[in-house]
Amino acid sequence: MADDRIPLTNIPLQYQPFLPALQAAVHSTATDNSVITRFENTFADLMGVDNALACAGPEAALQLAVEAAGIQPGDEIITSPFNRLTHALPHISWVFADVCADTLNLDAHDVERHLTKKTKAMMPMHTFGYPADMEALMHLANEHGLQVFENCVQAPLAQADGVRVGSIGDMGIFGFTPAVALGQNTPAGCLITNDGALAQKARQILAQKVSLQMPATQAALLQALVPQAAEHWIENRQKAAAWYEEELAGVPVQRPPVPPAEVNPTYTAYALRTERAEELVAFLAKHHIEAALAFAGFSIPDSLPCARHAQKETLLLPMFPDITPEQVERVCGAVRDFYEEDATL
């Protein structure tokens, strides 16, 4: 029956408690841009940084970061092959390095292998809300004089060593969309930095390019939503991840790594690794459980073996702030049934 379907995400349910505040924000939006400044201050405080610049989306934030940093056509930026934001700036020479087998984040050792005289920056991505190894990446960047742009679209409020991701590199890029833990239906974005000179350059560019600017209405919605929803959504996702970890114990799949004490993931998605990912997605669908291949559509070269295997083997299970223990138990029960049914053949 359709009523017993467990969706991959549940945006309507996620927003339902905050609809009155969002509707009030739309009706009370000021005609000037003061609400944009208020949101920027709110987000900067939340992220523990000196500067936040509201943008039209994560692509706009990336463009702003690249221009403020003085990246020129032909300059190389090393990033993850799973970084969708690269499509926003095709004039940049993007160089893809391999990912770590456990976290699916950029591998610092492989980044070093791809360094050339043209390399000007790197762009780690905090995949599915699990922080990249920023200590190793920052050491490499400092050693070679590289700028670091953090793609935090999937990891708002994640922490590494007690510090919010996005505030560790030179600049952090955020997107507010239904598919991540913060946001609303219309895309918006933010660029954060502790570098005053970079912030000043970015503001000058932003003032001149209307297409990169966040509309006041979006700022009003975010100002109403973020303080109320951010911690609530993330705490609930972390609880759900713990339920998955417990329920899937003993099942022959690779689960997300259990984070050390100094790492605080946000689990914008819950990813499993299995050589039978496509079969498992189809099996779950028959049981009215929506799952998805995590990296469908990506073209990964053989020179990046970890990423290539991850593309074939990674699937996403249902994850949203209001998922219940009973729903997680049912999902995991179906995953167990998939392997037990196979064992009896």
Side-chain angles (χ1 to χ4, degrees):
M1 295 178 63
D3 289 343
D4 69 352
R5 174 179 170 272
I6 302 178
L8 189 62
T9 62
N10 195 332
I11 301 303
L13 183 62
Q14 179 173 326
Y15 282 94
Q16 190 172 6
F18 308 102
L19 283 178
L22 295 176
Q23 290 166 349
V26 170
H27 293 306
S28 64
T29 301
T31 55
D32 62 19
N33 286 333
S34 63
V35 67
I36 295 176
T37 301
R38 292 199 299 275
F39 168 68
E40 289 178 336
N41 292 338
T42 295
F43 197 66
D45 289 344
L46 187 64
M47 299 308 300
V49 295
D50 296 331
N51 306 281
L53 292 80
C55 305
E59 297 85 358
L62 174 59
Q63 182 177 340
L64 200 58
V66 165
E67 292 189 24
I71 304 295
Q72 300 297 316
D75 290 343
E76 294 179 352
I77 302 177
I78 300 176
T79 191
S80 163
F82 300 133
N83 184 358
R84 295 183 187 276
L85 291 184
T86 58
H87 300 294
L89 296 178
H91 66 281
I92 296 297
S93 295
W94 296 102
V95 176
F96 298 119
D98 213 348
V99 298
C100 300
D102 55 352
T103 64
L104 305 181
N105 287 323
L106 197 59
D107 183 342
H109 295 293
D110 204 56
V111 170
E112 189 168 18
R113 183 171 69 91
H114 286 83
L115 291 173
T116 72
K117 292 181 179 179
K118 294 182 179 180
T119 308
K120 302 300 180 184
M122 71 173 74
M123 189 177 180
M125 170 182 161
H126 305 292
T127 310
F128 305 138
Y130 198 102
D133 185 355
M134 291 305 296
E135 182 178 359
L137 292 167
M138 290 303 297
H139 177 78
L140 191 62
N142 293 333
E143 185 177 0
H144 294 274
L146 305 178
Q147 294 272 334
V148 178
F149 313 138
E150 295 180 67
N151 180 347
C152 306
V153 171
Q154 297 183 8
L157 298 190
Q159 294 186 49
D161 295 317
V163 181
R164 303 283 196 201
V165 300
S167 67
I168 303 169
D170 295 282
M171 289 178 273
I173 294 159
F174 291 81
F176 308 103
T177 66
V180 295
L182 299 175
Q184 77 279 325
N185 290 322
T186 302
C190 203
L191 178 69
I192 67 171
T193 182
N194 278 313
D195 188 314
L198 283 176
Q200 184 178 7
K201 289 179 184 178
R203 286 204 181 278
Q204 291 171 349
I205 297 166
L206 190 59
Q208 297 168 3
K209 298 191 175 184
V210 176
S211 63
L212 301 183
Q213 298 171 10
M214 180 187 289
T217 301
Q218 297 304 315
L221 289 171
L222 287 167
Q223 179 66 12
L225 181 68
V226 170
Q228 294 189 63
E231 297 285 0
H232 167 73
W233 283 346
I234 289 165
E235 287 174 5
N236 283 5
R237 289 175 183 271
Q238 290 171 337
K239 289 179 183 177
W243 298 334
Y244 272 122
E245 175 67 21
E246 181 179 355
E247 291 287 339
L248 289 170
V251 179
V253 293
Q254 181 179 324
R255 305 185 300 279
V258 176
E262 66 273 12
V263 173
N264 190 30
T266 54
Y267 299 104
T268 50
Y270 192 84
L272 292 186
R273 293 278 300 275
T274 171
E275 293 180 356
R276 303 178 62 194
E278 195 168 346
E279 293 175 68
L280 180 53
V281 169
F283 181 87
L284 292 173
K286 292 179 181 178
H287 291 76
H288 307 290
I289 297 168
E290 185 181 5
L293 297 176
F295 302 119
F298 284 92
S299 179
I300 309 297
D302 291 337
S303 58
L304 306 178
C306 284
R308 190 165 176 79
H309 282 105
Q311 181 194 26
K312 297 176 181 178
E313 298 173 357
T314 308
L315 71 146
L316 305 179
L317 295 183
M319 173 60 85
F320 44 93
D322 296 288
I323 195 168
T324 66
E326 292 76 19
Q327 287 174 316
V328 170
E329 184 177 1
R330 187 176 139 210
V331 172
C332 296
V335 173
R336 285 193 299 271
D337 288 345
F338 172 77
Y339 284 98
E340 290 172 2
E341 187 175 292
D342 182 66
T344 61
L345 296 178

